[in-house]
Amino acid sequence: MKRSEVRNLLLQAADSSYKEFNDRITNSDAAPSIGVRVPDIREIAKDVSRNGWEPYLKEMEELSAKAEESGLWQEEHMLWGIVIGLAKMDEDMRAAHLDRWVSGILSWADCDSSVSSFKFMKKNQNFWYSYNKKWMERGGEFQMRFALVSFMQYFINDTYIDQMLDIFSGKSSAFACGLERSKNENGESPYYIRMAQAWALSVCFVKYREKTWKLFAQQSMDPWVQNKAIQKCRESYRVTPEDKELLKQWKM
């Protein structure tokens, strides 16, 4: 499919009232939005992934190389990422397409909604662990968030839980390297990286309570991240009322 065809489908699904709401929560001025709901974007992406995804991805990648001429919408970039996740291709090809997409992520919503379609990461996890780690080490707010959210979605399991806790708590040398490269001119860690850490730690607590409990008890991570992670645990319906009370003792 051509980009123009896909843009027309997006325009047909656009809702100006939803745009106002979505712009507030997305809080990004990296590219304009037109107000298309994520389920509608996914449906269009499914159509593209079945009917000519190769020319579509080629056109999008050529446009992104000329950033000043691309005129991308938030929804276009999200749809582009979802197509990469849905289309049938081998790992090396998918990684090559992802390289071009990840470097241009526009917002937390663009990142998170696309990553939720990357179920291919459940297979050949060694390959995708290395791929995500590469982006984490390179730094960049939304590139690191991409790695963290991918790890959270697909790698909190028996094989990787120890590495995940090391990464999400900020103790991993690869994470530290990427975070240092991502800090702003005042030396502050980007908000959407820290939020991804906290979110991921709350998921770890639900799935691996004892290991995550011990990590909280050490009180050795960034205080903001630990406190936000505990807050998210206490907001979760998957955490018992008793644990929600006990977790208060580990706030910093």
Side-chain angles (χ1 to χ4, degrees), residues 17-206:
S17 61
Y18 176 72
K19 170 180 162 51
E20 290 184 29
F21 163 76
N22 193 53
D23 284 351
R24 284 197 300 273
I25 63 170
T26 301
N27 189 32
S28 171
D29 58 3
S33 70
I34 58 172
V36 185
R37 290 173 171 79
V38 174
D40 293 327
I41 295 173
R42 293 194 193 283
E43 285 303 311
I44 298 170
K46 286 179 184 176
D47 191 16
V48 177
S49 70
R50 299 187 192 109
N51 300 290
W53 59 266
E54 294 100 328
Y56 175 72
L57 292 184
K58 181 180 179 182
E59 186 175 4
M60 294 301 290
E61 289 164 0
E62 289 173 349
L63 282 165
S64 69
K66 304 174 182 177
E68 71 282 358
E69 300 175 19
S70 67
L72 275 177
W73 300 327
Q74 290 271 343
E75 293 88 348
E76 273 191 288
H77 198 272
M78 185 187 297
L79 189 146
W80 172 9
I82 295 171
V83 169
I84 295 172
L86 296 178
K88 293 182 179 179
M89 62 183 87
D90 64 31
E91 288 165 333
D92 290 330
M93 181 181 293
R94 202 183 303 275
H97 283 302
L98 274 177
D99 280 347
R100 301 180 182 97
W101 180 80
V102 175
S103 61
I105 292 174
L106 298 167
S107 66
W108 69 265
D110 179 19
C111 170
D112 298 4
S113 297
S114 298
V115 167
S116 66
S117 296
F118 294 169
K119 294 179 174 56
F120 56 82
M121 288 190 182
K122 292 180 180 179
K123 301 176 182 178
N124 195 354
Q125 290 217 299
N126 285 339
F127 180 94
W128 292 111
Y129 176 83
S130 297
Y131 182 83
N132 292 327
K133 186 178 177 184
K134 171 189 76 174
W135 281 107
M136 187 173 66
E137 289 176 318
R138 288 182 181 179
E141 183 168 17
F142 293 122
Q143 288 68 41
M144 283 193 73
R145 186 178 176 94
F146 162 78
L148 291 169
V149 174
S150 295
F151 282 143
M152 180 192 70
Q153 291 268 15
Y154 305 112
F155 290 83
I156 300 178
N157 56 40
D158 290 350
T159 302
Y160 287 95
I161 181 58
D162 291 333
Q163 292 102 308
M164 293 302 102
L165 288 172
D166 204 38
I167 287 169
F168 300 147
S169 65
K171 296 179 180 180
S172 158
S173 59
F175 176 90
C177 180
L179 187 64
E180 190 60 35
R181 291 172 174 169
S182 305
K183 289 180 178 179
N184 63 25
E185 58 187 16
N186 297 319
E188 298 169 334
S189 302
Y191 174 78
Y192 290 111
I193 293 176
R194 292 184 293 154
M195 281 298 296
Q197 288 178 262
W199 180 19
L201 285 164
S202 72
V203 176
C204 288
F205 185 82
V206 169

